[in-house]
Amino acid sequence: MSFLRDLPIRRKLVAILMIATGGALLLAGAGLLTLDYIRLRQDMATDLETLAEIVARNSTASVSFQDIGDAEETLTALDAKPSLLGAAVYDRRGNLFAQWKRPGAHPDVPLRPGPEGHVFGSGSLVLFEPVVLDGETIGAVYLESSLSEIWRRLRLRALTIAAVFLVAALVALGLSSGLQGLISKPVLHLADTARAVSERNDYSLRAEKQSADELGRLVDAFNQMLSQIEERDTELQAAKEELENRVEARTRELRQANDELQQTNRELDDFAYIASHDLKEPLRGIHNYSMFLLEDYADKLDAEGRSKLETLMRLTRRMEVLIDSLLQYSRLGRIDLTLEEVDLNEVVAEVLENLDVNLKAEEVEVSIPRRLPGAFCDRVQAGEIFHNLIVNGVKYNDSPRKRIEIGYREGQPPVFYVRDNGIGIPDKHYDAIFRIFKRLHAREKYGGGTGAGLTIVKKIVERHNGSIRVESVPGEGTTFCFTLAKGDSLAEHPVEPADPAG
Ligand code: ADP
């Protein structure tokens, strides 16, 4: 029955009905034929027995008087019955007395009578009937009849049954084609609705209930399921909208906070700028008046007084340098970046040219293993980054042969680096060195400084949406890596040196 499995439901139903009807009809036909066969055989035996009785009665006189001629005449009269093949009469001692055979018929008449009664043989029915006179058996009659009549009738019956089968099958086909709709229609409707729901994602659709049977209950269950999904869908949609609204509100808040932060930063920069700018004037006044004191009251001051005034002047100079650094730092936040496609090779070349005297004096070996890629940045500020990092690389370097390497590592965005073979930085100071005015050494050591250089570098890098990090082995050297745009390239693995000796 597996061939039925993939048929469309309509055909399947018709096929099932046809198989059932056909099977029942075939069984009924076979039963009828069998019954017919049995009845025809019985009828034939009964007919032949009646005929044998008549022949026996008619032969009583010929047997008792041994009148062969009379007996043969009786038998010859049987010629009128076409199904008879042969006949015989036996005397009291069982000897063949008279016989008749249909011309062309095959059987030989038995020489002696068999037991009374009929026997169906192959192709014929054989019968022995006693000839009785006054209650005494005085002989026997033998009749043999062909079975071809039975077969002829059975054939006819089979043909009739086949014709009935055909007509019944046609009627069944018509009826089942019409009635299968009772089952297939609701099922197909359900399938169509399910397809429409999944194609249109529309859970408001409902299947139409067409009956109150199991199919009707299936439709009810299906619709109920759709209702539940629709309800959940609505809830989900509402939750999604609420979430979106919340995200939107949060984004607005963040944007506002960011704007405020930027505003505050700018105000802070402004404040630092103005404050440092305004502080410079009185500072210069203090310095000038100290100088006047030293010059105009030199004879009135003792050595200690002069020394203290000189210290005061030195401190004011230092304070001025610090204020200048602060000014430079706060100015960075006040001016807008001039972003453009910049050839960093040119930028680095200019920086190196400006530092040329220093580099030559220190006999620094500068290497650029390969040409740097371009960057979208502020040209002047990019120059400031390289300037500060190169100066530091030379400044914090005790090596007899000072080396600076400037390069980059491929990435999105590329990671630039400035490497030196200087004193290095212990990793506990990696964060501190980027804080303003933070120095790791005594004021005058390594050429002095304000501790603002790296803070300025970091601010420039971050204004370009980039990041900066330091790698260092104390005593061997330091590498500063930075990017000039957002990206994941500044990962935590070190930039490999291009020069194995470096
Ligand atoms: P400054 O150089 O004026 O002190 P910086 O901000 O440039 O200020 O540097 C901060 C500190 O970081 C320096 O005082 C120094 O101790 C350390 N540093 C910076 N660059 C290097 C370097 N290339 N090698 C070793 N130490 C460094």
Side-chain angles (χ1 to χ4, degrees), residues 86-159:
V89 178
Y90 304 88
D91 62 15
R92 188 187 297 269
R93 286 188 299 276
N95 293 324
L96 186 58
F97 175 65
Q99 63 172 312
W100 166 83
K101 258 176 37 177
R102 182 172 297 283
H106 73 94
D108 281 329
V109 171
L111 290 175
R112 301 194 67 79
E116 185 187 333
H118 67 265
V119 174
F120 282 93
S122 63
S124 65
L125 170 61
V126 172
L127 180 139
F128 289 96
E129 177 75 21
V131 179
V132 180
L133 180 66
D134 297 332
E136 189 194 345
T137 303
I138 56 165
V141 166
Y142 158 82
L143 290 182
E144 181 172 1
S145 175
S146 157
L147 294 181
S148 60
E149 180 62 15
I150 291 188
W151 294 124
R152 195 184 61 80
R153 290 209 198 160
L154 275 181
R155 258 200 310 278
L156 200 68
R157 194 53 63 94
L159 279 175

Side-chain angles (χ1 to χ4, degrees), residues 62-80:
S62 12
V63 174
S64 36
F65 296 111
Q66 295 285 307
D67 186 345
I68 295 175
D70 188 38
E72 279 180 347
E73 202 173 313
T74 309
L75 292 182
T76 311
L78 294 174
D79 188 48

